[in-house]
Structures are given as C-alpha cells and as structure tokens.
Amino acid sequence: MCGITSYCGNKQAIPILIEGLKRLEYRGYDSAGFAVIDNKKNIIVKSQGKVLKLEEKKAGKKIDSTFGIAHTRWATHGEPSEINAHPQTDCTKKISVVHNGIIENYLELKEELIKKDHKFVSETDTEVIAHLIEENFNEDLEDAVLKSIERLIGTFGIAVIHSDIDHKIVVAKRGSPIIIGVGENEFFAASDSNAISPFTKKMIYLRDDEMAVLNSDGYYIKNFKNEILEKEIETFDEVSFKTDKKGYEHFMLKEIFEQPETIENAFRGRIIENEGVSKLGGLIPVLDRLKSINKLIIVSCGTSYYAGLLGRYILENLTELNVECELASEFRYRRLKLDENIGVLAISQSGETADTLAAIKEAKRKGALLLGIVNVVGSSIAQITDAGVYNFAGPEIGVASTKIYTSQLVILTLMALLIGRYQGLSYYEGSQVICALKNIPDKVREILNDADKIKKIALKYSKYRDFLYIGRLYNYPTAMEGALKLKEISYIHAEGYPAGEMKHGPISLIDENFPTVAIAPDDSAIDKMISNIQQIKARKGKIISITNKDAKKVIDISNDSIIVPKTIPILQPILNIVPLQLFAYYIAKQRGCNIDKPRNLAKSVTVE
Ligand code: G6P
C-alpha cells in the first residue's frame, strides 16, 4: 500500500527519491509522485501507474534540487488518477504533503476549509492536510504542522515541505510508520526502511505521536506535546535489506526457494535439544505471565490468519491452553471479555496491518498479555506488543506470502513447545518435535528438487477457471492457504474448505470442469479424505492430491499426485504448502499474470 520517502542533503534529490519509490513498489500502488524545491519553486511531478512512468515524465526537465518528498499511492479516497496522486498541495501551491493512512474526519474539515475559501481539486483526504497547514502557517512550518495534526482524527504518516523554507522536511506519525535515516550530512524519512536502505543503515523508528524535523545539517525529534526527545539510532546489517531476485524470474519464486534457509533461520539458536524445549529470547521478559495464561487468542489477516488457524491445532496439541483464532478485522468489534490471564497473539509479516494493529490495541485496553510474531523489525506491531518473536526471514517482496507463512508455522511450534514444557508436555514428546523440525529444511529441499514435476501438473490445469481445495485437521488451513495462493496471483476462482464440510455445499459445484486439490497425507484423517475424494470422483471431478509415497490408495484414485516427504502431523503442513505455492506460481506464470504485484492487492495493508 501507500509508501513515503524523502530526502534532505546536498545531493540531487530526484534520483534518490525515485530509487526509494522503486524500492516501495512491492507494497502495491496505483500512482506515484514527488515534490522538490528548486530555487524556491515547488515542483510537483505525478503520474498514474508505475514509477517508470513518473521517471519518463520527469526526463528532460531540468530540475536542480537537494530536498524533497515522494509517494506511491494505493487508492482509498478517490480513484487512481494523477490529480488524486500525492503530493497534494494547498491554495498557494507552496506546501506539499505526502500521506499514508486515513483521515476519518476529512469531510468535516474540508467543509470548514471550503467556508474559509480554500479550493480543493482532488477527492483525497490528504489534500485537507495541505490546506489545514496553509491555514495554520505563519512563517513556521513545524508549528503549522503541529497545529494541524491536532485537528486530525484517524491515522497518518506524513512528510511536508514548503517552497519558502529552504531544506526543511517535517514528518509526523500516528498509526502509520515513519522511519528516519541518518546519513553523512544527509537525512531521510520513509515509511519503510527498504526505501532508504541503499543510502544509510542507520535508522530511528518514530513512535505514535512523534514528529521529526530534517534539514541538511541535522535533525531533531519531538512528541506532539512539543517536547524534544532523545532517540536511539539503530544500525542494521546488509542482510536485513537484501532485495534482489538472485537470478529468479520473480521474487515469489525466489522466496519459495529460500524456504529451507528461512525455516532454519526461524529455529536456529532457539532450541535446547537436551531439554526438549525451545528458547525464545523475545519472550523472556514475559515468561512468568506467559506461564499463568489459560487462554490464547490468535489475531491476524490473510496468510498470517491461516498460519494462526494452524497455530491453534499446534498449540492445542502441545499445550493445555484454550486457543482461539480470529480474523483481526472481526475480533476488534466483538464484545470481548479479556483480562491479564488471556494472551492475545498477533501474527503479521509486515507488522503494520491496520486491522491487526487495531485488534491488539483493543486487547491492550482490556489488559490482555500482548504477544507478536512479526517479520519486520521495529514495525508498529512489534512496538505495541509486550513481547514477541521475529521471523528473521529477510524482506518478503512478493505480495503473496510464502516464506513467511512457513516461518510463522515454525515459530508457532517453538512457542507451543516453550509453553507446553511448563505444562504437561514430556521431554520425550518435546524432543520428538525438535528432531522432526530439524529435518524439515532438507525435506523442503527435496520438494523443491521436484519443481519441474509440479510445473508439468500445473500447466495441465492452467486453463481451468475454478478449483476446490480440501483438507482435514492440520491440513484444513493448508487447503485455505493453497486456495488463497492460487486466487491471489492467477485470478482463478479457488475455494478452500475443510473436507468434511464439502457435502454441505461445495460438492454441488463439482463436475469435470471443476478440479479439486486434495491435501491427503498419510495421517489419522486419511480414510475420511479417501471417501471425500471418492465422492468427488463419482461426480466426474478431477483430483490432484498432495500426499505421501505410502498413501497408495490416495495415489491410485487421484488423476495426478504430488508426493511430499512425511513428517510428524503437526509439521506436515509446512511440507504440504510448498508444492501448492509452486502450483499457483506456475499457473499464474502460464497465464501471464503480474505475479509479484497482483492487481488490486497490496503487500502491507495499512487501511482498515
Ligand atoms: C495482505 C498481503 C498478504 C498478507 C496479509 C496480512 O493481504 O497481501 O500476503 O498475508 O496482508 O499481512 P501481514 O503483514 O499482517 O502478515
């Protein structure tokens, strides 16, 4: 979704801003723009579509500027268009604003400003901020921004410049991330560290209700009460920002193939083999509270929700906890009784998903213990939770999540081991899980070595318009996630269902044009899965099964089978999802889809 980057220093600003925008592209967007000041003139260039188009528009224009702000927009208020793209400006056209988030009271403010003769040109909520700053401006940009944000209800990360004020960028944050980059006589502000990581590895994460003022020889940070704050500069290593495709055609394919390493990264240094337990440094500060909770509610969205759904089965298997799993967008509106004996676990790759953020804020208000599994270090969810565990899986660029899903499953298993060993789980049971976990990376490698076979099967089915995915128990979430992968990137209709529910509706859809992907490993549910498969076959439905080599009956009745290695049932879904990721990828590729940036989707969904 929307992204911000900005630069203040002594180099030409536009190439740095454009490079930043390109590094924000993976988040999903529909228009882009920048504003720079050249000799007290505010120059705004915007375009609908890709950053490349923006670059083309700029080409040939002679602009000399060493500070400016830039934005990729994902439409919320008003259609994707050049007028609605950011930066937005005021009546004098001297103020430029880029904004992530949503201003809930923008209509009310707009009416008020129109009465004061402000002329609006766009449909955006952001334009209101520019006019509000104009209204409050009295030679002091910082003061005008402070006065203006007092009036805003909603969420915002903003960057503001004024053409009369040399080398000054004011940024502010409430509910939408802003990171400051500290270079040698140059300073950056962005909504995502990726945008500025080629230029500096030194960063400061702003918290809610904080703002920063950048100029070419320094910066300072304040809170909205106008008090100066001393904040720590964090230095990140090169690895945290590696975002090249390493020779793969798409980021998604690269990320699927990275899974043996990202799975290992998720458990490396986090298991104590001779005690059959895990060691999660991030949870140590809350260990006593963690031991005393009797219920855990997992909240998340999208792929992270399916990881949570599976987490429920894993935690129920290894611990005595009552576990619920809820979509964050529903959880926050429920009439919930939470207290300090309940834990709420947010799972989020980006750590910025607005619904998940809102859900845990609600849980915080009610006194629950807040935990997180997050990939992006320093993200909003990581900041708000009491404690948590990072994935350390490196940036995930493909909009459809792959390597983070399997990494989340590993961490959920480690969390369950940690809690379970304080409860009934024996040393022997714990050790069995650890032993199986350590073998997972090699088993994933085995599956990836079969990519060509999976590709052949995918191509055979690439022309169908509908798919059903079914699974039972641990593989019910796998069916949901497998179907999500296919619909996200190939735009094929795919429904994930618990196999037992098939007879209550979806079976009416089945005919020779509606294939089913059956996740049917050799486990306690296999006989039931076989009878579901037979019901589909009886209606001429084609079956692609994901199964193990000893499940002869499943292989015999399937039209096509993808064989995966076997592991213990709670970890089998980590192996089963890998061929489904590849299956979706090869179908989408065959259909010529934009795999890394599917239409209408965003990597980091920062609106509710
Ligand atoms: C978007 C992304 C999905 C992701 C979901 C939740 O929809 O396209 O890939 O699973 O958000 O994101 P999170 O960052 O909270 O895991």
Side-chain angles (χ1 to χ4, degrees):
M1 277 194 169
C2 302
I4 292 176
T5 190
S6 53
Y7 174 76
C8 192
N10 43 31
K11 299 193 184 113
Q12 282 302 317
I14 294 173
I16 294 174
L17 295 175
I18 296 276
E19 170 67 14
L21 291 181
K22 285 185 180 163
R23 297 175 66 88
L24 292 172
E25 283 190 301
Y26 76 97
R27 298 166 64 91
Y29 70 105
D30 41 54
S31 53
F34 64 77
V36 291
I37 313 291
D38 179 356
N39 202 13
K40 298 216 164 192
K41 258 178 54 205
N42 189 12
I43 300 170
I44 298 181
V45 182
K46 305 199 273 191
S47 85
Q48 199 187 327
K50 298 289 167 206
V51 173
L52 214 63
K53 261 179 86 182
L54 183 72
E55 240 181 330
E56 282 165 15
K57 249 187 128 173
K58 185 260 146 192
K61 287 195 175 79
K62 271 207 155 165
I63 306 172
D64 179 17
S65 173
T66 47
F67 76 110
I69 58 179
H71 191 260
T72 50
R73 174 175 185 256
W74 192 85
T76 56
H77 295 69
E79 56 170 14
S81 69
E82 208 172 297
I83 285 202
N84 289 335
H86 300 197
Q88 290 291 323
T89 187
D90 64 320
C91 299
T92 64
K93 308 276 178 258
K94 290 186 169 187
I95 297 166
S96 289
V97 179
V98 292
H99 163 226
N100 287 357
I102 286 183
I103 305 304
E104 289 162 15
N105 60 337
Y106 87 103
L107 277 177
E108 185 190 315
L109 293 170
K110 193 169 177 174
E111 265 174 41
E112 181 187 317
L113 288 159
I114 287 173
K115 280 189 195 140
K116 292 183 178 160
D117 267 350
H118 287 262
K119 304 272 178 290
F120 284 81
V121 293
S122 79
E123 298 160 276
T124 64
D125 50 345
T126 306
E127 195 182 353
V128 164
I129 306 176
H131 288 273
L132 209 52
I133 295 173
E134 179 190 6
E135 192 62 30
N136 288 312
F137 184 73
N138 193 3
E139 306 307 317
D140 184 343
L141 184 60
E142 192 184 320
D143 179 63
V145 170
L146 248 181
K147 285 193 176 122
S148 304
I149 52 187
E150 258 174 36
R151 302 284 321 276
L152 304 179
I153 299 176
T155 55
F156 53 85
I158 53 170
V160 188
I161 52 175
H162 191 300
S163 57
D164 287 349
I165 301 172
D166 189 35
H167 278 90
K168 184 179 258 194
I169 302 178
V170 181
V171 296
K173 165 184 165 36
R174 176 178 286 161
S176 205
I178 293 283
I179 296 151
I180 309 298
V182 182
E184 292 286 323
N185 300 320
E186 54 182 6
F187 303 91
F188 308 79
S191 56
D192 181 325
S193 51
N194 267 319
I196 50 180
S197 60
F199 312 109
T200 178
K201 302 281 177 277
K202 291 185 179 164
M203 301 192 190
I204 302 168
Y205 289 86
L206 291 195
R207 287 185 169 256
D208 276 353
D209 290 4
E210 289 181 356
M211 65 190 289
V213 179
L214 317 183
N215 43 52
S216 41
D217 44 36
Y219 68 90
Y220 51 90
I221 298 172
K222 289 176 162 185
N223 58 23
F224 289 180
K225 290 184 204 142
N226 215 1
E227 297 160 337
I228 294 279
L229 305 172
E230 291 296 328
K231 292 193 61 113
E232 201 189 322
I233 301 179
E234 298 182 44
T235 306
F236 293 90
D237 57 17
E238 201 66 43
V239 204
S240 327
F241 303 110
K242 275 250 175 302
T243 58
D244 58 295
K245 287 193 202 142
K246 288 195 189 136
Y248 287 94
E249 195 176 343
H250 294 97
F251 278 110
M252 182 179 176
L253 191 63
K254 183 196 103 176
E255 285 154 7
I256 292 173
F257 273 83
E258 271 174 358
Q259 289 179 106
E261 290 83 51
T262 50
I263 288 170
E264 201 159 339
N265 283 352
F267 68 72
R268 189 186 298 118
R270 288 173 165 171
I271 44 188
I272 311 177
E273 274 189 90
N274 58 6
E275 291 178 37
V277 72
S278 65
K279 178 182 75 181
L280 296 168
L283 297 185
I284 290 172
V286 298
L287 215 47
D288 285 336
R289 276 191 80 187
L290 197 57
K291 285 185 212 166
S292 67
I293 61 167
N294 47 36
K295 181 172 173 179
L296 186 72
I297 308 177
I298 305 175
V299 291
S300 42
C301 303
T303 290
S304 297
Y305 171 65
Y306 297 134
L309 216 50
L310 188 45
R312 186 179 70 187
Y313 288 97
I314 298 171
L315 282 148
E316 276 172 1
N317 190 281
L318 301 180
T319 74
E320 319 297 319
L321 289 176
N322 290 312
V323 188
E324 273 182 32
C325 179
E326 176 94 80
L327 283 163
S329 52
E330 290 298 316
F331 172 89
R332 57 171 308 207
Y333 295 113
R334 278 177 61 196
R335 193 169 181 282
L336 284 162
K337 249 184 90 188
L338 301 175
D339 57 42
E340 71 278 5
N341 296 319
I342 296 179
V344 171
L345 168 63
I347 306 181
S348 175
Q349 186 285 129
S350 60
E352 300 296 347
T353 302
D355 285 319
T356 311
L357 206 51
I360 56 171
K361 282 184 181 161
E362 189 60 27
K364 187 172 193 153
R365 183 196 310 276
K366 295 186 171 166
L369 171 66
L370 293 193
L371 305 171
I373 299 178
V374 170
N375 188 41
V376 178
V377 176
S379 55
S380 302
I381 292 175
Q383 288 185 22
I384 286 180
T385 42
D386 296 309
V389 184
Y390 282 120
N391 294 90
F392 294 133
E396 189 179 61
I397 306 295
V399 163
S401 181
T402 53
K403 65 173 179 176
I404 300 301
Y405 177 70
T406 47
S407 166
Q408 287 166 339
L409 298 182
V410 172
I411 292 173
L412 281 160
T413 309
L414 296 179
M415 274 191 173
L417 260 183
L418 179 76
I419 300 169
R421 289 287 285 124
Y422 286 115
Q423 301 174 335
L425 195 75
S426 70
Y427 158 72
Y428 176 69
E429 290 166 314
S431 305
Q432 272 190 321
V433 175
I434 290 176
C435 178
L437 193 55
K438 284 177 64 188
N439 287 325
I440 294 288
D442 277 342
K443 293 185 184 216
V444 172
R445 276 186 198 101
E446 256 182 71
I447 300 170
L448 295 171
N449 286 341
D450 272 348
D452 281 344
K453 282 190 206 153
I454 299 167
K455 183 175 179 179
K456 260 195 193 141
I457 298 176
L459 297 190
K460 184 169 157 191
Y461 289 91
S462 64
K463 293 218 167 71
Y464 287 88
R465 288 182 45 198
D466 307 277
F467 280 82
L468 180 66
Y469 282 63
I470 54 168
R472 281 175 183 263
L473 212 68
Y474 300 105
N475 286 298
Y476 147 49
T478 312
M480 306 294 285
E481 171 59 9
L484 180 67
K485 287 290 87 71
L486 186 66
K487 72 182 124 190
E488 278 179 310
I489 59 168
S490 72
Y491 318 138
I492 292 175
H493 164 230
E495 290 197 40
Y497 246 83
E501 273 293 295
M502 202 185 72
K503 55 191 171 294
H504 298 294
I507 199 158
S508 68
L509 301 168
I510 298 297
D511 62 18
E512 65 275 23
N513 298 315
F514 204 125
T516 297
V517 177
I519 299 108
D522 188 10
D523 64 11
S524 61
I526 191 163
D527 291 333
K528 295 272 185 320
M529 280 303 292
I530 290 174
S531 67
N532 291 135
I533 294 174
Q534 265 152 351
Q535 289 157 21
I536 293 169
K537 293 222 57 153
R539 285 152 186 90
K540 298 199 175 67
K542 297 190 173 59
I543 298 287
I544 306 137
S545 61
I546 309 295
T547 189
N548 307 122
K549 74 172 186 314
D550 292 334
K552 297 273 183 263
K553 271 195 193 161
V554 175
I555 299 171
D556 286 348
I557 55 173
S558 303
N559 297 75
D560 290 282
S561 292
I562 299 171
I563 309 295
V564 295
K566 202 172 165 184
T567 179
I568 57 171
I570 57 166
L571 298 179
Q572 190 67 47
I574 301 183
L575 302 180
N576 293 348
I577 196 63
V578 177
L580 297 180
Q581 296 167 343
L582 287 169
F583 183 73
Y585 173 82
Y586 290 123
I587 289 187
K589 185 163 178 259
Q590 179 70 7
R591 294 167 73 101
C593 299
N594 190 353
I595 294 181
D596 285 334
K597 292 173 214 138
R599 68 182 184 208
N600 304 340
L601 297 181
K603 184 70 187 158
S604 180
V605 180
T606 47
V607 297
E608 288 169 35

